[in-house]
Amino acid sequence: MNDDKARAFEQAGKRPPPGVVAEFLLFLTENKKYWLIPLLAALFLVGLLGALAGSAAAPFIYSLF
């Protein structure tokens, strides 16, 4: 039984690490932190709005407000 665990541990070490997004989604599902999704979506939208404010899309964004 220890040999099976050691072999599984070695195989897990040879797998490539997950990306940041995949690892974060895994964290959300394992720890049941689903309430973070709307918060992160709002932060993403504010960041997108800030990034677009300095571009050619700025006049269109300002007309929304």
Side-chain angles (χ1 to χ4, degrees):
M1 187 152 120
N2 281 340
D3 194 33
D4 292 336
K5 288 183 180 180
R7 192 170 299 130
F9 183 74
E10 288 177 11
Q11 289 176 350
K14 292 179 183 177
R15 279 186 264 157
V20 174
V21 176
E23 191 169 346
F24 186 70
L25 290 175
L26 186 64
F27 166 76
L28 289 178
T29 57
E30 284 184 1
N31 294 314
K32 297 184 180 22
K33 303 271 185 202
Y34 300 118
W35 56 271
L36 284 174
I37 294 172
L39 177 71
L40 293 174
L43 286 175
F44 175 75
L45 289 175
V46 168
L48 183 65
L49 184 66
L52 290 177
S55 69
F60 301 109
I61 294 172
Y62 292 130
S63 65
L64 294 175
F65 299 105

